Amino acid sequence: MLRTAAFSAIRRASARPSVAAKSVVFQAARGMASAASSSDTVTFEFCDKTFEGYNIDIPSRSMTLTKEDAIAMYREMQMVRRLEMAADSSYKHKLIRGFCHLCTGQEAVPVGLEGAIAKEDAVITAYRCHGFTYMRGASPFGILAELMGRKEGVSKGKGGSMHMYAPNFYGGNGIVGAQVPLGAGIAFAQKYKDEKTCTVALYGDGAANQGQVFEAYNMAKLWDLPVIFVCENNKYGMGTAAGRAAANTDYYTRGQYIPGLRVNGMDVLAVRQAVAYAREYAINGNGPMVLEMKTYRYGGHSMSDPGTTYRTREEIQHMRSTSDPITGYKHRLLEAGVMTEEDIKAIDKQAKKIIDEALAKAKAVPEPDAAELWDDVYAKGSEVPYLRGRVPEETHYYNVD
């Protein structure tokens, strides 16, 4: 283990009060972690299985946050869950077409991550991106409108499920693993401009064997770029169990010369603590870190995948009943006296209302006009003279001076 003064400083920094909250497996909610609260703050202690380190000390096992922040974290997880439920229903009613990948069950990752970084930091991920898009600042209406291909969607109805953007959020990328070297490139720009910011580049366990991931590791470490590589390990790459596809499923160790952490990705506060720790490490010139978030998706890989041909219904139900990030966190808030059952019901009701209204509004928006197909391919003023269509008759000519 590396036990330097720098790592000790990072551990102290990551333990400071901040926007965060904690969700744990139900069994752990009472025995493996504890919480103590005062009038305005609540402190949570992590169990010894929350973090595992590779060539680096683990983060602090204690976190204090304001009760207001704790409640906000619950609210945001509930919003992401309701957003994905609306997407699921809309797809089944054929309002959404094409690919659609939901993060139901994985809400702790986007919510915990956003609580740990600054708005100026960058995030880039793969195609399971709705929760990240929302947490980066896009509205539920903009996301749902985009899913339905409507003109007021976050990508003007042209991107769909896999290509959404928000301030300092670079997508939503459809090519497996391709976002990882892009994330390293964004981090290179941050370092080049001498910014005190970092980039979080997320990918799944299914993409972890891509050669470009290891190329990005090499360049990031070679230049000590401020990038956090986050592997969302939900146990299955499409329909293949991780152990059948990877010789080494300890994804947090696969950076080799890059330190890593394995994190309970069903625990929103653990996610926040780990990302804050990695961010402090990265922005202070130490280079990249690899985080593995152990999480689980309840649905299939995409809406076209029933998700039960390569795993049992009993396994899915077991994860729902023992490890759900929202329900587990709700128990923690109740036990710590941060919220009452009535408070939680009010938040749940409000989240449903907001998403229902956003969905109704999105349904009423028309699709973009066909003439807009050629817009936004190039920035205004940088267009090429023309773009070819499928046949010569479809060639589009720009009015370029």
Side-chain angles (χ1 to χ4, degrees):
M1 286 291 198
L2 301 177
R3 298 182 181 275
T4 65
F7 294 152
S8 297
I10 293 169
R11 291 185 67 184
R12 290 194 297 273
S14 66
R16 294 168 188 156
S18 56
V19 179
K22 190 170 188 287
S23 161
V24 293
V25 178
F26 293 171
Q27 295 93 330
R30 292 178 172 80
M32 296 174 66
S34 60
S37 62
S38 64
S39 58
D40 299 313
T41 63
V42 58
T43 298
F44 295 94
E45 303 294 331
F46 295 106
C47 72
D48 58 6
K49 295 182 180 180
T50 303
F51 308 111
E52 296 177 65
Y54 168 73
N55 285 345
I56 195 168
D57 289 341
I58 64 172
S60 170
R61 289 179 180 159
S62 177
M63 169 174 281
T64 300
L65 59 148
T66 67
K67 292 182 178 180
E68 181 181 358
D69 290 341
I71 294 169
M73 297 288 274
Y74 177 83
R75 181 184 300 111
E76 297 292 37
M77 281 203 293
Q78 192 63 254
M79 285 289 290
V80 174
R81 176 69 60 87
R82 285 288 177 182
L83 180 66
E84 295 293 60
M85 289 172 65
D88 179 277
S89 175
S90 298
Y91 193 97
K92 291 172 179 175
H93 284 87
K94 299 184 179 182
L95 293 170
I96 298 172
R97 302 284 185 150
F99 295 106
C100 186
H101 305 81
L102 306 182
C103 71
T104 309
Q106 300 183 202
E107 295 87 355
V109 178
V111 175
L113 185 151
E114 188 62 34
I117 62 176
K119 290 297 182 183
E120 297 74 24
D121 293 327
V123 176
I124 187 168
T125 188
Y127 36 73
R128 206 176 302 280
C129 64
H130 309 158
F132 295 101
T133 309
Y134 168 72
M135 291 306 300
R136 287 267 81 186
S139 69
F141 161 71
I143 293 169
L144 291 167
E146 186 60 39
L147 285 169
M148 291 187 281
R150 307 305 169 92
K151 63 187 298 182
E152 293 184 30
V154 292
S155 298
K156 301 183 180 180
K158 303 176 186 178
S161 173
M162 297 192 289
H163 303 99
M164 296 185 179
Y165 307 92
N168 288 318
F169 178 62
Y170 293 81
N173 292 269
I175 300 175
V176 175
Q179 73 280 2
V180 180
L182 293 178
I186 298 167
F188 177 85
Q190 291 169 324
K191 182 168 184 175
Y192 185 84
K193 293 188 289 184
D194 199 27
E195 297 176 349
K196 201 76 170 177
T197 56
C198 72
T199 295
V200 182
L202 298 109
Y203 56 99
D205 53 285
N209 300 316
Q210 288 280 318
Q212 57 195 327
V213 172
F214 295 92
E215 293 178 54
Y217 284 173
N218 181 63
M219 296 180 74
K221 184 55 186 173
L222 189 64
W223 296 330
D224 278 336
L225 302 180
V227 57
I228 306 169
F229 298 108
V230 179
C231 177
E232 290 186 272
N233 178 11
N234 60 21
K235 301 178 73 171
Y236 298 95
M238 295 188 72
T240 303
R244 296 184 61 213
N248 176 11
T249 57
D250 293 330
Y251 297 103
Y252 70 113
T253 70
R254 293 174 68 172
Q256 188 180 350
Y257 33 75
I258 301 175
L261 287 173
R262 174 181 277 162
V263 185
N264 177 5
M266 303 299 274
D267 178 338
V268 68
L269 188 54
V271 172
R272 185 269 162 203
Q273 185 81 323
V275 174
Y277 182 70
R279 181 182 188 273
E280 192 75 13
Y281 178 89
I283 66 174
N284 283 295
N286 296 299
M289 189 181 294
V290 177
L291 304 184
E292 176 190 348
M293 301 294 176
K294 296 200 72 174
T295 185
Y296 195 83
R297 57 171 164 81
Y298 297 153
H301 170 73
S302 69
M303 287 299 295
S304 61
D305 169 23
T308 53
T309 58
Y310 48 88
R311 57 183 182 174
T312 65
R313 296 182 186 277
E314 289 74 21
E315 176 186 309
I316 300 169
Q317 184 55 42
H318 174 75
M319 292 299 294
R320 278 184 177 274
S321 61
T322 64
S323 303
D324 185 76
I326 298 176
T327 310
Y329 182 48
K330 178 181 75 173
H331 281 257
R332 294 306 311 282
L333 293 175
L334 291 171
E335 290 180 354
V338 176
M339 300 178 72
T340 64
E341 288 281 5
E342 289 70 27
D343 295 332
I344 287 173
K345 288 178 181 177
I347 287 179
D348 294 351
K349 183 178 180 180
Q350 181 67 8
K352 183 179 184 301
K353 180 175 183 290
I354 291 171
I355 298 300
D356 286 348
E357 290 176 352
L359 180 59
K361 182 180 176 182
K363 289 178 181 178
V365 175
E367 295 179 354
D369 190 273
E372 297 179 25
L373 175 66
W374 308 99
D375 296 347
D376 305 311
V377 178
Y378 293 91
K380 290 188 180 299
S382 68
E383 299 94 343
V384 296
Y386 62 88
L387 281 178
R388 291 178 299 174
R390 296 167 298 178
V391 295
E393 291 75 17
E394 291 182 348
T395 299
H396 176 80
Y397 294 88
Y398 289 100
N399 295 319
V400 180
D401 296 332

